Amino acid sequence: MPTISPPMQRSARSRLMDYTVGDLAKRSGLTVRTLHHYEQLGLLVPSTRTDSGYRLYSDADIRTLHRILAYRQMGLALKDIGPLLAPGAAAPLRELLARQIATVEAGIAEQQRLLVMLQRVERRAVDGAESTEDLLQLITAQQILERHYSDDDMARLRALQDAIPPETISRLKTEIPALLAAFRAAQAAKPADPDALIALARQWIAMERLVPVDEELRRKGRQMLGTDASFQQMSGIDPALAQFIDDAVAAAKAADGGDA
C-alpha cells in the first residue's frame, strides 16, 4: 500500500497543508493518473483549486485518500468504496485502522505459511533437481489445499509430510503415477483382469503404508477429490477412478484374508 509522507510547508503561492496533484502523487507513491481516476469516480475530489485551475488537496482529502487505500487493501472494489465514504457512513478512523491491522496480520500469517513451504522445498531440492513443472505443481497444490483445509489442518499436513523420508518421497513420485496409469488402463479394459487388478491393488496398499495416516485429513481429502476439479486434474484421480481403486483394494484385502 502506498504511504503518504507528512505534509510540508509550501510556497506562499499555495496555502499551508495543501497539495497539488503532483505533490500528492510524489508523497503518496501513487500516480497522477490514479488520482485523476479517483476524481473521475467521485471518490477523491480536490477541495479547492488555485486561481489558475490547479487541483489542491487538503488535509481532509488526505484522510479520504487513506480510507480509499485502506478499503482497497481489504479487497473492496472501487465501485463499492464510494458509499463507504459518504457523510455518516464512514467508519471511525480507529475502527478502520483496526481493520487494516487485521488485514496486514492475516497477510503476514499467509506469508509465514508460504515461507515454511519454501523452506521445506529448499531442504528437499538437491543440486537443482526440482523442475519448473515440480514447482508449478507445488504452487497449484498449495492453493488447492488452502481452499479446503484450515490452518490447523495445514499444520498437521506439514507435520505428516516432514515425517516422510526424502528417499520415500522420491519413490512415491515415481511409483504412484505409474500405478495410476496402470489402474486407468485396467479401468478401461472390459472386463478387467481380476488377478492383475488385485496385484495392482497390493502395490497400492504397499504405497499407502509408506505414508503416515491422519484419518480426519484423509476424509477431507476424499471430500476434496469429489468436489474440486482442480484437485482431480492435479492428482490425476477422478471420483470414478478413486472408486475403482477402492474396490480393487477391498478385493485384494478379501483375497488375502484381510491382511493386505
Side-chain angles (χ1 to χ4, degrees), residues 59-114:
D59 289 348
D61 296 331
I62 302 302
R63 289 192 288 271
T64 299
L65 177 59
H66 168 258
R67 290 181 181 277
I68 294 170
L69 298 178
Y71 287 130
R72 288 291 289 156
Q73 186 181 31
M74 295 173 195
L76 272 68
L78 289 175
K79 64 182 180 64
D80 298 322
I81 292 175
L84 299 177
L85 302 176
L93 178 59
R94 186 169 183 177
E95 177 184 327
L96 185 61
L97 290 171
R99 292 170 62 182
Q100 270 191 285
I101 290 170
T103 300
V104 171
E105 287 177 340
I108 292 172
E110 178 65 27
Q111 291 300 310
Q112 184 63 35
R113 287 196 297 270
L114 178 60

Side-chain angles (χ1 to χ4, degrees), residues 119-179:
Q119 289 171 334
R120 186 170 64 253
V121 173
E122 181 188 32
R123 290 195 299 269
R124 293 177 178 174
V126 179
D127 297 327
E130 295 295 331
S131 68
T132 299
E133 184 61 27
D134 289 333
L135 294 176
L136 287 173
Q137 290 180 357
L138 181 64
I139 292 168
T140 301
Q142 185 71 11
Q143 297 303 311
I144 292 171
L145 292 174
E146 289 182 358
R147 285 203 299 269
H148 295 274
Y149 290 145
S150 68
D151 288 346
D152 180 64
D153 291 335
M154 292 296 293
R156 287 157 55 202
L157 185 60
R158 285 192 292 270
L160 289 176
Q161 291 172 338
D162 288 339
I164 304 174
E167 59 272 17
T168 300
I169 292 175
S170 297
R171 180 181 173 186
L172 293 171
K173 282 184 176 180
T174 301
E175 296 188 23
I176 286 181
L179 272 174

Side-chain angles (χ1 to χ4, degrees), residues 11 17 25 42 51 75 81 87 93 102 110 116-117 130 132 144 152 177 190 200 202 207 211 214-216 219 223 234:
S11 70
M17 301 299 185
D51 294 340
I81 292 175
L93 178 59
E110 178 65 27
V116 170
M117 179 187 71
E130 295 295 331
T132 299
I144 292 171
D152 180 64
K190 304 293 184 181
L200 285 176
R202 287 173 177 149
M207 288 295 99
V211 180
D214 183 313
E215 290 299 336
E216 178 66 15
R219 182 185 64 80
Q223 290 178 343
M234 182 199 71

Side-chain angles (χ1 to χ4, degrees), residues 175-189 196-197 200 203 241 244:
E175 296 188 23
I176 286 181
L179 272 174
L180 287 176
F183 271 118
R184 278 192 290 270
Q187 184 185 29
L197 191 56
L200 285 176
Q203 294 179 58
L241 180 59
F244 184 77

Side-chain angles (χ1 to χ4, degrees), residues 15-52:
R15 299 180 304 167
L16 186 66
M17 301 299 185
D18 281 349
Y19 297 84
T20 66
V21 67
D23 289 336
L24 184 54
K26 181 178 180 180
R27 300 188 185 201
S28 67
L30 298 168
T31 65
V32 170
R33 182 176 180 180
T34 296
L35 293 172
H36 285 171
H37 183 54
Y38 290 168
E39 181 179 358
Q40 291 168 357
L41 295 177
L43 298 177
L44 182 66
V45 179
S47 295
T48 58
R49 289 179 180 262
T50 66
D51 294 340
S52 302

